[in-house]
Amino acid sequence: MHKIAVIPGDGTGPEVIAEGLKVLGAASKKFGFKYETKIMNFDGERYLKTGKTLEDKDIEELKEYDAIFLGAIGHPAVKPGILETGILLKLRFALDQYINLRPVKLYNADFCPLKDKKPEDIDFVVVRENSEGLYKGMGEFKNKGTKDEVALQISYNTRKGVERCIRYAFEYCRKRNRKKTLTLSGKTNVLTYAWDLWERTFHEVGKEYPDIKREYAHVDATTMWFVKNPEWFDVIVTDNMFGDIITDLGAMIQGGMGIAAGGNINPEGVSMFEPIGGSAPKYTGKNVINPLAAICAAGMMLDNLGEVKAAKAVEDTVIKLVKTKLKSLAAGKMGYSTSEVGDLVAANL
Ligand code: IPM
Ligand code: MN
């Protein structure tokens, strides 16, 4: 029995999560696994009513689950930063989900904004460090509000934190068994402390993986290659901030936020799966948002729970529908409503 905590969250989160759960239900019937869910309302509405984001006792409760399925965090009536740090980042940090795994895979060339790129050209995975870097929130103001103000925002990188991320990426690349190439995406030419540590660790750990080819690209060049030669990539490892930025670009070249899913992974603990697109307030409640990112996140969750066949079936079904049925991956343009897309996946599993 898989115990899944469900946090629908804000905006379109609940709508896409409903479709993810629909597909989970269909998959459990077809593949014969059992699961139970508990809906938890850690979101902007609750914050507006109670002033609460996420308390330590909530974290303790979540630790009892096998996985977390999250919709989106971000509410237009709440000042930016409060829910993001109070809920989403708190979950990632407190549950030590130190990997943010973001596959970038094009399912249908018609939905790719790049000229002449086909599904075989865009198929790579970004391993984003998810517990340190600039996201650590370290820093301070000096002389705040004066003309001599200084704001420090520190990128915090520990050898242990960097090493466990890099090691995960090498293992992942080996298991993926494709080009067997791991690219470190950084900024060794300017950020000479953090990226010195990353680069040294990358090559030291890399010696233990002689079957994996090591490459390095500066992060700015990485964005260029995403557009020009995405076929060069297999697995990319990078820090939290760079990973945040390049995976939005990755989402665009695979067809948009409607299809981009990610996993916040603690290999030894509770992992959390989410569509990476955000709460999309302007589409909320209209039954137009694309639920495929949430459905793909549910697929990644199934894989993480050991339901490998079911996970593969979810992905294969999404690929088939994206190739044959959907007119677009964008909200309101799919040719189907949000719930119809969920029905289609569930029926075609
Ligand atoms: C993401 C999001 C979050 C991040 C925000 C909402 C805090 O952009 O998951 O990529 O920056 O990590
Ligand atoms: Mn982001």
Side-chain angles (χ1 to χ4, degrees), residues 71 101-105 107 247-263 274-278 290-297 300 329:
L101 194 65
R102 296 190 163 181
V104 177
K105 189 164 172 178
Y107 292 147
T247 54
D248 266 26
L249 180 57
M252 284 300 123
I253 64 172
Q254 74 179 122
M257 286 300 182
I259 192 87
E274 55 173 343
I276 75 171
N290 186 346
L292 287 179
I295 291 169
C296 290
M300 291 179 75
L329 296 177

Side-chain angles (χ1 to χ4, degrees), residues 68-123:
I68 303 170
F69 188 32
L70 174 83
I73 298 294
H75 192 294
V78 181
K79 190 174 163 242
I82 294 177
L83 302 173
E84 291 83 348
T85 52
I87 301 176
L88 182 60
L89 298 183
K90 179 143 187 191
L91 283 165
R92 289 177 182 170
F93 291 167
L95 297 172
D96 203 18
Q97 294 162 341
Y98 60 88
I99 299 296
N100 199 325
L101 194 65
R102 296 190 163 181
V104 177
K105 189 164 172 178
L106 177 65
Y107 292 147
N108 179 344
D110 294 346
F111 303 147
C112 180
L114 306 179
K115 210 164 114 238
D116 300 331
K117 294 296 176 194
K118 295 182 217 53
E120 57 267 34
D121 297 322
I122 302 180
D123 186 357

